[in-house]
Amino acid sequence: MPIRFFNTLTRQIEDFSPREPGVVRLYTCGPTVYNFAHIGNFRAYVFEDLLQRHLEFRGYRVDRVMNLTDVDDKTIRGCRASGQALADFTAPYKQAFFADLDTLRIKRANHYPEATEAVHIERMISMISTLVEKGHAYRAEDGSVYFRIRSFPDYGHLAHFNLEDLRDGVRVRNDEYEKENVGDFALWKAWDEADGDVGWESPWGRGRPGWHIECSAMATGILGPELDIHCGGEDNIFPHHEAEIAQSECCTGKKFVRLWMHCRHLQVEGSKMAKSAGNFFTLRDLVDKGWSGREVRYALISVKYREPLNFTFEGLSAARSALQRLDEWTARLRDTAAGETASAPFAGLEAFGEALDDDLNISAALAAVFETIRETNRRMDSASLQPAEAVTLLKWLEGVNSVLALEPDAESIPAAVEDLLVRRAEARASKDWKLSDTLRDEILALGWMVKDTKDGQKLTTAPQSAAVTR
Ligand SMILES: [Zn+2]
């Protein structure tokens, strides 16, 4: 069965085939580094990570670019307000972004171009020059260069709106605007006082690029004129991606992107995330509240990308429980497989990958994982799972985790828990069961659950309800 994805451009599920067999050129719009990314941003980045990992699971080589927007309306506003130079203002947010990617186990892209790098600024200027030469762009009386949307008949196809509705002669200088205000958009913004010392020389005088041309230049500059997949959040569809298509295709004369994929928005506890509503969270906020990156990843990944995600603390608790089940099952499998090296066939394991082939149907993929857990737990209860079957299942789990990245944290039993474990082992050796139980409760209070097996004490993280503090 081929891999199939929903294409925002055609509004249809299509069979996936990259231009060059075996290689996927993937562009994913990255963060604007004017503050810490919030969990709504990370929903998109985790979805893109799932996409990349599944394509690799299916044998594709993925060449992926994620840009860093380090000059635009927002970053300039931020650096001016803080009184810093632009690069000094954005540097800590760039660093924080990469740390957050690691926390969420998001695989690194092959390229992280920054808009302010000289090579990219040059390419933006050269693309704008080409657009002016071809009559798709013009310098207006305010000194800025605008894209003439009437010159591109396909304008509006991605967002599915009608060019007939346009009011002629309207121009927008802002990077972001509503559909009602659609008009010729800025490719190059002439310097004004609000820009402070941010600016580059160009054939049209000192100024700076618009946000949209940045992505067109970095995407085509690194991946070439024709991409296989371009992703983003649904709020990128208009005007950002609409503008990217117009600029790129008018410049190169080639079809810019074969497949457009967008993930739906995220709400928190049923409402739009907003600082004023008190439901605005960065990843750091959640980590400070005691949630692990692995748990947040599970909560973000477990709803299909084309469905709105209602992010709740109940959902995070459910993620914690699901991961604990997965860990307990893995530990049981290891015990069952102990010493066995041969593997034996086990039916039905392909359901996981097939679910993801179907437009990344993660709900069905996770259902397949937990159905396998249920079935094999029953068989381990009755000691009827063969060690060689357990070997097969463990190998399968490695494949599953190459896509989902839900393996336990390599870290790190805290030293306090280690001490308690040693004391408890001593207590049990001297048959002091009362002390053993007390120590078990102390370990639980630290967020860990200890079980006694024939191989000694086994430790797992405790469900949130059982732990007093984490
Ligand atoms: Zn972009």
Side-chain angles (χ1 to χ4, degrees), residues 286-349:
L286 297 176
V287 170
D288 287 345
K289 286 175 183 291
W291 300 98
S292 69
R294 182 188 185 215
E295 289 160 348
V296 177
R297 178 180 174 89
Y298 188 99
L300 290 176
I301 221 171
S302 58
V303 172
K304 186 174 170 172
Y305 77 99
R306 284 208 291 130
E307 322 248 332
L309 167 59
N310 183 21
F311 191 89
T312 65
F313 285 93
E314 206 182 311
L316 274 174
S317 293
R320 185 169 280 179
S321 310
L323 290 168
Q324 202 199 353
R325 272 189 72 204
L326 186 62
D327 291 349
E328 284 171 359
W329 178 69
T330 312
R332 281 189 89 182
L333 276 184
R334 290 216 178 95
D335 285 347
T336 305
E340 181 61 63
T341 49
S343 55
F346 196 99
L349 297 181

Side-chain angles (χ1 to χ4, degrees), residues 324-339 372-387 389-391 393-394 397 451 453-455 458-460:
Q324 202 199 353
R325 272 189 72 204
L326 186 62
D327 291 349
E328 284 171 359
W329 178 69
T330 312
R332 281 189 89 182
L333 276 184
R334 290 216 178 95
D335 285 347
T336 305
T372 304
I373 291 179
R374 238 186 322 274
E375 178 198 332
T376 50
N377 268 337
R378 262 199 307 268
R379 288 185 51 198
M380 286 189 280
D381 289 343
S382 61
S384 68
L385 189 80
Q386 301 308 311
E389 289 178 309
V391 170
L393 287 160
L394 284 167
L397 182 63
K451 273 187 188 165
T453 72
K454 60 183 189 323
D455 302 321
K458 285 271 165 70
L459 207 58
T460 53

Side-chain angles (χ1 to χ4, degrees), residues 29 215 240 244:
C29 284
C215 276
H240 187 50
E244 276 190 52

Side-chain angles (χ1 to χ4, degrees), residues 27 29-30 67 211 215 230 240-241 244:
Y27 188 85
C29 284
N67 68 295
W211 172 39
C215 276
H230 193 315
H240 187 50
H241 290 165
E244 276 190 52

Side-chain angles (χ1 to χ4, degrees), residues 213-419:
I213 193 72
E214 293 179 10
C215 276
S216 283
M218 290 185 274
T220 58
I222 297 170
L223 295 173
E226 295 169 281
L227 317 183
D228 294 303
I229 310 179
H230 193 315
C231 297
E234 63 176 341
D235 56 335
N236 286 149
I237 296 174
F238 185 86
H240 187 50
H241 290 165
E242 197 71 61
E244 276 190 52
I245 295 173
Q247 300 159 156
S248 306
E249 298 196 354
C250 289
C251 193
T252 68
K254 301 223 161 88
K255 189 174 165 68
F256 179 40
V257 171
R258 294 164 80 93
L259 170 68
W260 284 93
M261 294 178 77
H262 294 96
C263 81
R264 297 290 310 274
H265 61 275
L266 171 146
Q267 292 191 321
V268 175
E269 304 286 352
S271 18
K272 191 173 156 63
M273 190 163 63
K275 283 193 174 131
S276 55
N279 69 350
F280 183 95
F281 296 110
T282 64
L283 178 60
R284 281 131 203 273
D285 295 331
L286 297 176
V287 170
D288 287 345
K289 286 175 183 291
W291 300 98
S292 69
R294 182 188 185 215
E295 289 160 348
V296 177
R297 178 180 174 89
Y298 188 99
L300 290 176
I301 221 171
S302 58
V303 172
K304 186 174 170 172
Y305 77 99
R306 284 208 291 130
E307 322 248 332
L309 167 59
N310 183 21
F311 191 89
T312 65
F313 285 93
E314 206 182 311
L316 274 174
S317 293
R320 185 169 280 179
S321 310
L323 290 168
Q324 202 199 353
R325 272 189 72 204
L326 186 62
D327 291 349
E328 284 171 359
W329 178 69
T330 312
R332 281 189 89 182
L333 276 184
R334 290 216 178 95
D335 285 347
T336 305
E340 181 61 63
T341 49
S343 55
F346 196 99
L349 297 181
E350 61 291 341
F352 169 77
E354 285 173 0
L356 293 177
D357 289 344
D358 177 20
D359 196 25
L360 295 182
N361 188 345
I362 187 69
S363 322
L366 287 172
V369 170
F370 283 96
E371 181 48 45
T372 304
I373 291 179
R374 238 186 322 274
E375 178 198 332
T376 50
N377 268 337
R378 262 199 307 268
R379 288 185 51 198
M380 286 189 280
D381 289 343
S382 61
S384 68
L385 189 80
Q386 301 308 311
E389 289 178 309
V391 170
T392 302
L393 287 160
L394 284 167
K395 213 167 266 165
W396 172 73
L397 182 63
E398 274 174 34
V400 167
N401 270 331
S402 74
V403 181
L404 301 183
L406 296 176
E407 58 279 359
D409 284 303
E411 67 63 84
S412 65
I413 300 166
V417 175
E418 292 274 20
D419 288 349

